[in-house]
Amino acid sequence: MKALDNFKADFENTLQLSKGLIKEIRSKAFEKFISEKFPTRRDEYWKYSDPSSILKLDLNYNDSGDFKDDNYDIILSNGRIVKTLSKFKTGNISDGLDNGDVPKEIFKEEKNPFLNLNNAFAVNGCYLILDSKTKKDVKILNVINNNSDCQAVYPKLIIIAKKNSDSTVFEEVKVVGEGINFVNSVVDIILEDGANLEHIILDDYAKDTYSISNICVKQSKDSNFRSHNFSMGKKLARRDYNIELLGTGANCDLYGLYFVDGENHIDHHTTVEHKKEHCTSNEHYKGILSGKSVGVFNGRIHVHPKAQKTDAIQNNQNLLLTDDAIIHTKPELEIYADDVKCTHGATIGQLDEKALFYLRTRGLNQKEAQRLLMRAYVGEIIDNISNGEIRTRMMNIVLDRLPKGD
Amino acid sequence: MLKITNLHASVEGNSILKGINLEVKAGETHAIMGPNGSGKSTLAQVLAGHDDYEVDQGEVSYLGKDLLELDVDERACEGIFLAFQYPVELPGVNNTYFLKSALNAQRKYRGETEIDAMEFMDLIGDKIKLLNLKDSLLKRPVNEGFSGGEKKRNEIFQMAVLEPKLALLDETDSGLDIDALRIVAGGVNAMRSKDNATIIVTHYQRLLNYIVPDYVHVLVDGKIISSGDKALALELEEKGYDKIIEESKA
């Protein structure tokens, strides 16, 4: 396979760029990646998204390119840091490993091949330490800068929210230029005891983007993670959330909104591992699909034997605006403790005809009525963002991107 | 204002309206009464433009226009308002935002400038008092969690804000207690003028004690079988529909 040969050549060519701990980590990760078989649609978790389409691409590693934008505190261009502000404790991951800011335990042998692949190409990458007890906002831009026509980029971000810290991280992913991109990104998030972190991610890929994104979160005692995920899919777009509730009293809220049109594809696999007692998780994902787009939602809640008094909620709602749009939605509950509360639900529907008629009898035309109902639909997710400025901005972006109706 | 000539309509192949003739002039209030299943609500829905109903025959002229050629929203913008028998709940749609969007859509259609936020709040402040509704309902999603009476009052409140030329009240009295009925009727009466008209669709004479009609029509099996003044409504209440149907056949 073309891409596998290219991965190998690129890995060998870039290995000498790394020194110290990261070099060893990269080598082990690549060994693991290459020794295991690349997933296909026969694998349960890839049933509806075909990763083998990536293998056919003539991909080349690229981390060059610059970008400037005063609206962001940190900018990564093709995964390489091109802007940071000294007011934040941040830097290149390899330096963080060497100076002790980044614990090397974050890197381990992974089951997921795309985590191993990302680690194998951890030439660059950025870490961010959040230690402020008073609320701090950080804005990060992840630019996919396409100046070669078929490129592979490996953005990597490690966020460590220190004990009792309180922060909001807004991360935007966007593509500049044209061409084919394979974006294999990972965000590792660690919340120490009592840490409070709100993470908002928005992606806006170009049409020929294949994106495999993993967000891995480890939560200690009494930490609180609030996630808002806005995704517009593209050729093949998959984002996984792997949340581990490792300390008692940890809570996570996962909100997601995806909207795809044309022949675009979006896949979300989320896993919440309830490993300790008295943890709560609340997940609410909504989708709007039109054209011939395909959506996948797989939400897994895994309650381990020790995790008594778990309270987990999961809900996925989908709006199909056209006859050809498809959604595959599946809740997956695995419960090994006997004193827990878990609920889940999934719905698929269209805009309510009765509601549309009602709105039209008041003077709104079909398009305006559809948009008003869609605005209400997305508002239920967006309204959960606590930062007013970001909330307003997200509402404007989403309204701008909503299908225009018929 | 409105002239209905030999109107036939059906739903899924079942004929419901079988030749309605009715003329409504500006300033008039007409009541349409009839037993269950006679086609009263269908008439209101057809006039509002619901696509579930197929117009098979007949004409409807409204302010010189062919009403049946207009879309639902165009009819609304031309001044037709349907107060629903079962108002629809709109989760997540704020009542104030909804009303403002509707009013502005109508103003835009008529070539008027959009109303600004301050002016709008003044307008709804006046109207909400008329219907004795709580201010808090304005901040809630449209009709969601409203009581039956609140939903009906909210319909008339919307009507007060949108100031239609022709109001169609579909069973607005159903589910209302006496106090709410008085408030709703008071709201409707306050809006009556020589320039607009009202068609009230109802089962019972009760509402007509409060909103006194100029004309009463009895609709049975898709046809108006008898027309008269308010005395006809009292006669109906006394004798029942069967008697009137028998008399009309004689």
Side-chain angles (χ1 to χ4, degrees), chain A residues 224-353:
Chain A
N224 184 27
F225 177 62
R226 290 169 64 81
S227 153
H228 311 269
N229 171 22
F230 298 89
S231 178
M232 295 177 231
K234 274 305 166 286
K235 193 114 185 167
L236 175 72
R238 169 156 171 167
R239 173 163 293 141
D240 291 6
Y241 275 84
N242 312 292
I243 315 280
E244 289 178 78
L245 302 173
L246 301 166
T248 56
N251 169 63
C252 70
D253 294 310
L254 308 175
Y255 298 104
L257 189 61
Y258 46 95
F259 32 108
V260 277
D261 54 12
E263 295 189 8
N264 296 324
H265 186 104
I266 182 75
D267 183 338
H268 285 107
H269 273 63
T270 67
T271 305
V272 181
E273 301 279 359
H274 278 267
K275 291 193 170 171
K276 281 280 166 65
E277 52 280 273
H278 291 285
C279 291
T280 51
S281 65
N282 168 33
E283 178 171 20
H284 194 174
Y285 266 62
K286 277 186 166 190
I288 299 180
L289 298 101
S290 61
K292 293 180 178 175
S293 62
V294 177
V296 183
F297 176 83
N298 189 108
R300 182 163 184 259
I301 298 171
H302 183 185
V303 181
H304 293 249
K306 267 190 188 168
Q308 299 294 0
K309 304 286 178 191
T310 286
D311 189 343
I313 300 170
Q314 184 195 98
N315 191 5
N316 174 233
Q317 288 170 271
N318 295 283
L319 205 52
L320 298 186
L321 299 182
T322 53
D323 290 343
D324 294 327
I326 296 172
I327 176 78
H328 305 276
T329 174
K330 187 172 124 204
E332 233 186 284
L333 270 65
E334 217 174 306
I335 301 170
Y336 298 102
D338 54 13
D339 186 10
V340 302
K341 206 167 105 188
C342 291
T343 59
H344 67 87
T347 60
I348 302 169
Q350 285 84 38
L351 286 174
D352 182 358
E353 287 295 332

Side-chain angles (χ1 to χ4, degrees), chain A residues 352-366 368 372-373 375-377 380, chain B residues 45 50 73 76-77 81-82 84 90-93 97-98 101-102 105-106 108 143 155 158:
Chain A
D352 182 358
E353 287 295 332
K354 278 192 187 129
L356 285 170
F357 177 66
Y358 188 72
L359 289 167
R360 292 180 67 202
T361 63
R362 300 304 183 247
L364 297 166
N365 64 33
Q366 179 78 6
E368 290 165 337
L372 192 70
L373 292 182
R375 186 195 162 101
Y377 181 81
E380 238 189 19
Chain B
Q45 298 277 328
H50 201 296
D73 45 288
C77 293
F81 181 90
L82 172 64
F84 280 57
L90 305 175
V93 180
Y97 183 82
F98 156 71
S101 306
Q106 298 204 7
K108 203 170 113 192
N143 294 325
E155 292 291 287
Q158 291 172 25

Side-chain angles (χ1 to χ4, degrees), chain A residues 81-195:
Chain A
I81 301 170
V82 293
K83 177 186 177 178
T84 54
L85 292 181
S86 57
K87 65 174 173 176
F88 298 115
K89 202 169 178 186
T90 179
N92 197 300
I93 289 170
S94 62
D95 297 336
L97 277 166
D98 292 338
N99 69 24
D101 276 349
V102 177
K104 67 173 193 291
E105 292 72 32
I106 286 183
F107 296 91
K108 56 181 180 16
E109 212 172 74
E110 303 285 354
K111 277 190 198 138
N112 182 334
F114 292 99
L115 290 174
N116 287 322
L117 185 63
N118 180 277
N119 282 343
F121 282 97
V123 180
N124 299 290
C126 175
Y127 73 91
L128 173 66
I129 310 282
L130 302 163
D131 52 9
S132 172
K133 305 277 189 288
T134 52
K135 186 132 187 163
K136 213 166 218 179
D137 291 348
V138 189
K139 292 197 176 87
I140 302 175
L141 178 65
N142 224 321
V143 179
I144 311 305
N145 223 325
N146 194 337
N147 45 21
S148 68
D149 57 354
C150 188
Q151 66 175 18
V153 294
Y154 303 91
K156 189 173 190 68
L157 185 63
I158 294 174
I159 299 171
I160 299 171
K162 292 289 196 184
K163 195 173 172 181
N164 298 329
S165 63
D166 189 4
S167 339
T168 301
V169 173
F170 174 69
E171 189 184 346
E172 189 171 343
V173 186
K174 74 172 175 194
V175 173
V176 176
E178 284 179 17
I180 299 166
N181 296 298
F182 167 53
V183 186
N184 175 207
S185 60
V186 174
V187 183
D188 277 304
I189 298 175
I190 291 170
L191 285 91
E192 296 185 357
D193 290 1

Side-chain angles (χ1 to χ4, degrees), chain A residues 180 374 406:
Chain A
I180 299 166
M374 283 194 272
D406 53 43

Side-chain angles (χ1 to χ4, degrees), chain B residues 168-238:
Chain B
L168 310 168
L169 310 183
D170 188 6
E171 308 262 359
T172 295
D173 50 336
S174 66
L176 290 185
D177 61 35
I178 284 294
D179 293 337
L181 188 67
R182 273 201 202 107
I183 292 166
V184 163
V188 174
N189 285 329
M191 284 178 270
R192 285 170 82 167
S193 82
K194 62 177 175 40
D195 301 318
N196 59 28
T198 310
I199 297 176
I200 303 168
V201 169
T202 183
H203 266 84
Y204 303 108
Q205 192 268 337
R206 192 176 68 154
L207 177 67
L208 307 181
N209 287 334
Y210 299 98
I211 308 172
V212 181
D214 301 302
Y215 299 95
V216 174
H217 310 278
V218 181
L219 184 67
V220 176
D221 193 24
K223 275 185 182 169
I224 290 174
I225 59 159
S226 180
S227 294
D229 61 10
K230 64 180 178 182
L232 179 59
L234 293 168
E235 196 187 331
L236 265 178
E237 189 82 353
E238 198 188 308

